[in-house]
């Protein structure tokens, strides 16, 4: 019918509510360059709507799987960069902590589950940032000086959002999806201290 908004329906199965996908799509333009922390079906959907999308992934096997799926769908303007966690730092800083959501599959399909282990959730931001240093800073590895849209939807959301700031300007949009999944600890306090 006329006057109805066109819904943005993911074809590869983005792990988001369709209304959330639709809200994010409202910010996307065909000329945009986008960075996504996390990858999957959503990466394909964004690629259909922007000029270029980069997606950082912390599980190499999942990065390869998403890259294959993108190729099967004929998507050529998306690039998945794999930045695994520093497992030596994890072992040193998080002794006894479960690997779920770090390198092990959790309750959700593939490596989507957050790590609900209190040792991880209540760890100092510096420890989590050390374990995921390469992932958090992947945004600086793709050769772009600025992004129109950055979507944070994976590990260390607060730290990734902070790392994205130098790549944003007054016309950019930063979206943090599912903030409460993993970030209910010390990072919230640090994030709230961001400059306006």
């Amino acid at each position: 019918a006329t006057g109805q908004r066109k819904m943005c329906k993911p074809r590869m199965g983005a792990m988001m509510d369709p209304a959330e996908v639709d809200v994010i799509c409202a910010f996307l333009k065909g000329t945009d360059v986008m960075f996504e922390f996390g990858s999957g079906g959503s990466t394909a959907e964004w690629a259909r709507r922007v000029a270029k999308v980069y997606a950082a992934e912390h599980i190499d096997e999942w990065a390869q799987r998403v890259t294959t799926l993108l190729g099967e769908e004929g998507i050529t303007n998306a690039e998945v960069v794999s930045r695994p966690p520093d497992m030596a730092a994890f072992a040193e800083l998080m002794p006894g902590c479960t690997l779920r959501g770090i390198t092990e599959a959790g309750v959700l399909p593939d490596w989507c589950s957050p790590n609900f282990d209190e040792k991880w959730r209540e760890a100092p931001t510096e420890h989590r940032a050390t374990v995921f240093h390469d992932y958090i800073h992947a945004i600086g590895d793709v050769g772009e000086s600025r992004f129109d849209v950055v979507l944070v939807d994976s590990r260390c959301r607060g730290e990734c959002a902070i790392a994205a700031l130098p790549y944003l300007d007054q016309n950019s949009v930063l979206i943090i999806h599912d903030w409460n999944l993993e970030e209910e600890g010390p990072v919230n306090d640090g994030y709230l201290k961001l400059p306006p």
Side-chain angles (χ1 to χ4, degrees):
T2 1
Q4 289 184 343
R5 259 173 19 127
K6 182 182 174 190
M7 295 297 284
C8 176
K9 301 291 186 203
R11 294 175 190 104
M12 285 176 52
M15 296 201 57
M16 294 180 182
D17 183 276
E20 295 171 323
V21 174
D22 195 41
V23 168
I24 293 167
C25 286
F27 289 100
L28 304 180
K29 297 185 295 290
T31 56
D32 285 349
V33 177
M34 180 178 187
F35 192 91
E36 179 182 25
F37 286 96
S39 69
S42 59
T43 308
E45 189 60 49
W46 317 146
R48 290 183 188 94
R49 299 174 182 288
V50 300
K52 178 74 176 183
V53 61
Y54 299 91
E57 184 52 55
H58 72 285
I59 299 290
D60 202 33
E61 184 180 339
W62 182 247
Q64 292 170 14
R65 185 171 168 192
V66 172
T67 299
T68 298
L69 290 170
L70 292 168
E72 289 171 357
E73 294 216 7
I75 294 170
T76 59
N77 64 329
E79 180 180 334
V80 181
V81 293
S82 180
R83 297 295 184 270
D86 181 335
M87 295 313 295
F90 181 82
E92 178 185 335
L93 299 171
M94 311 285 183
C97 183
T98 179
L99 290 171
R100 181 176 35 194
I102 309 298
T103 60
E104 272 182 12
V107 267
L108 296 174
D110 303 301
W111 294 271
C112 301
S113 284
N115 190 328
F116 291 120
D117 189 316
E118 285 185 27
K119 292 180 186 100
W120 178 254
R121 288 181 61 198
E122 295 179 13
T125 300
E126 296 78 25
H127 288 187
R128 292 165 18 141
T130 298
V131 172
F132 278 100
H133 179 272
D134 293 348
Y135 177 79
I136 292 165
H137 297 284
I139 194 167
D141 297 342
V142 297
E144 301 284 348
S145 60
R146 177 193 172 277
F147 291 93
D148 297 291
V149 178
V150 173
L151 172 63
V152 182
D153 188 24
S154 186
R155 302 296 152 247
C156 299
R157 286 170 169 82
E159 295 89 345
C160 289
I162 291 168
L165 292 177
Y167 301 93
L168 305 175
D169 63 24
Q170 69 276 6
N171 297 312
S172 302
V173 177
L174 173 65
I175 302 165
I176 305 173
H177 183 254
D178 288 338
W179 172 261
N180 62 328
L181 282 183
E182 224 175 315
E183 312 307 323
E184 295 179 358
V187 73
N188 267 341
D189 295 335
Y191 184 75
L192 293 175
K193 294 176 190 166
L194 286 175

